[in-house]
Amino acid sequence: MTRPPASLTSHTVLPIGGTRAVLEASTAAETGDAALAVVLETSGSTYVRAGALALFDEHGGQTGWLSGGCLEPEIAQRAQQAMQARRTEWMEIDTRSDEDLLSGSAVGCRGRLRLALVPLPALPSWPAMVAAWRDGAGTLVMHVHADGRIEARIGSIEGTWQLDAATPPWTDASSRWPLSIAPMPSILVLGAGPETPVLLPMLRALGAHVTLVERRPRWRMHAAFADASLDETPTQALAASTRRHDAALVMHHHFELDREALAALAQAPIGFVGLLGPVRRRDDLFRVLTAAAREVLLPRLHSPIGLHLGGTGPEAIALSIAAQLQRHLHGVSA
């Protein structure tokens, strides 16, 4: 993974977040012994939904959140038990009663979580599955069974593990929980500019994989903020890509380079195309594209890219773009 150079100030480098952060941490060499907290069921008002993940390691480290921080200490204790016993531990956290509003951790939420705490050393092929997920192989499907058996599959990689486990402590327990971990979002950024040092780390902090396509020497240094960078034309980059991109952003601040990028994207099956710049510039670009390119681009073009949040300057623009992509990637309608 590309890291920003030392010359770039550290406050611009945001940590990777989301499901991506949890899965990548679950295979990191420095993690050592760790347990994966898997949300099996939720009801009422909860911070997460079924399929959410968090990682707890033997040193007290944590990646990912299942609440606003109030429940994690209790979950961490149970995770330590799972690591030490090498068995799946079950956990129910129910804060739906009136008493929970004023006692204990005083969460203030009316919800229930049911969790499985799974010791990762008991899943020997787990790193290969995470690597496939990170490389864009698709959805990671898991089945957690009440008898301790866990099945997982992604692409052509499958795994079945039988772990020790007691009977889940709740009386209405299912015998099996099917869970799906959606593919990591992939965003293709065609062209760098003043927004790039803010936008790319922000997208990665939201859990996306970011590829930057940029040939101009002036802007090549910003490739350090991406997961991957290509010193190629948009046509070359799209032809060589083995990853399915969920969105593409055209951000060269250069008319001819943006025209070239739009022409290439007209031939690519990417459902969301964002174009930086005002409406008049978009219209001028469309006038120099072929009629066929205009026809296939128009239904998926978002221009000007970014939500109307207020503010000016590259930082405000980066935030507005990230907000629109977040809404799109999570299926929230305008």
Side-chain angles (χ1 to χ4, degrees):
M1 183 182 300
T2 306
R3 298 294 184 190
S7 61
L8 297 175
T9 55
S10 60
H11 73 273
T12 64
V13 184
L14 300 175
I16 291 171
T19 301
R20 173 184 177 179
V22 177
L23 290 180
E24 289 187 351
S26 75
T27 64
E30 64 269 23
T31 298
D33 204 354
L36 191 66
V38 183
V39 178
L40 304 175
E41 303 175 19
T42 70
S43 58
S45 175
T46 58
Y47 193 79
V48 292
R49 291 290 179 255
L53 306 172
L55 185 75
F56 299 87
D57 67 35
E58 59 185 333
H59 305 296
Q62 174 188 330
T63 305
W65 297 90
L66 302 181
S67 77
C70 45
L71 305 179
E72 273 67 20
E74 187 179 353
I75 300 172
Q77 290 181 4
R78 189 62 63 85
Q80 291 291 335
Q81 295 175 14
M83 286 180 251
Q84 292 166 7
R86 287 290 191 270
R87 58 179 278 166
T88 296
E89 295 285 340
W90 312 103
M91 187 174 185
E92 181 179 71
I93 304 173
D94 195 338
T95 60
R96 294 176 296 174
S97 68
D98 291 341
E99 290 81 1
D100 288 306
L101 294 176
L102 301 173
S103 63
S105 57
V107 177
C109 297
R110 300 277 194 159
R112 181 183 67 190
L113 292 177
R114 287 175 171 174
L115 313 175
L117 288 303
V118 181
L120 284 176
L123 312 182
S125 56
W126 180 255
M129 291 187 171
V130 173
W133 181 86
R134 187 175 55 233
D135 292 340
T139 299
L140 175 57
V141 177
M142 296 180 65
H143 294 268
V144 179
H145 296 256
D147 63 2
R149 182 161 47 98
I150 297 176
E151 301 166 318
R153 181 184 73 257
I154 181 168
S156 61
I157 305 175
E158 297 183 357
T160 299
W161 311 280
Q162 182 64 57
L163 282 68
D164 290 336
T167 301
W170 45 88
T171 57
D172 59 342
S174 300
S175 61
R176 179 177 67 97
W177 292 271
L179 305 166
S180 295
I181 301 172
M184 174 167 48
S186 180
I187 300 172
L188 182 69
V189 181
L190 299 167
E195 304 82 13
T196 307
V198 179
L199 177 61
L200 270 55
M202 195 180 300
L203 295 176
R204 296 177 72 209
L206 293 171
H209 181 281
V210 180
T211 301
L212 177 65
V213 179
E214 181 55 83
R215 293 169 286 165
R216 296 170 294 175
R218 177 186 180 187
W219 300 112
R220 283 291 298 166
M221 66 175 292
H222 291 331
F225 290 107
D227 293 291
S229 62
L230 300 172
D231 183 4
E232 298 177 341
T233 68
T235 300
Q236 291 169 334
L238 287 164
S241 177
T242 59
R243 184 179 289 273
R244 182 190 62 81
H245 299 294
D246 298 281
L249 304 177
V250 180
M251 303 181 61
H252 289 95
H253 293 270
H254 186 286
F255 188 86
E256 176 55 27
L257 294 178
D258 281 354
R259 183 210 61 78
E260 178 187 18
L262 289 173
L265 287 168
Q267 309 301 317
I270 300 176
F272 182 106
V273 175
L275 175 63
L276 188 66
V279 173
R280 174 62 184 270
R281 186 172 184 274
R282 177 199 65 195
D283 294 343
D284 288 342
L285 280 164
F286 261 47
R287 273 196 287 271
V288 296
L289 293 172
T290 66
R294 292 195 298 268
E295 182 178 357
V296 297
L297 278 174
L298 191 58
R300 49 197 172 107
L301 185 70
H302 299 262
S303 174
I305 182 64
L307 301 182
H308 294 291
L309 302 179
T312 58
E315 296 81 9
I317 293 172
L319 176 61
S320 73
I321 294 171
Q324 185 170 4
L325 283 172
Q326 180 76 353
R327 188 177 70 179
H328 167 73
L329 293 171
H330 291 272
V332 179
S333 59

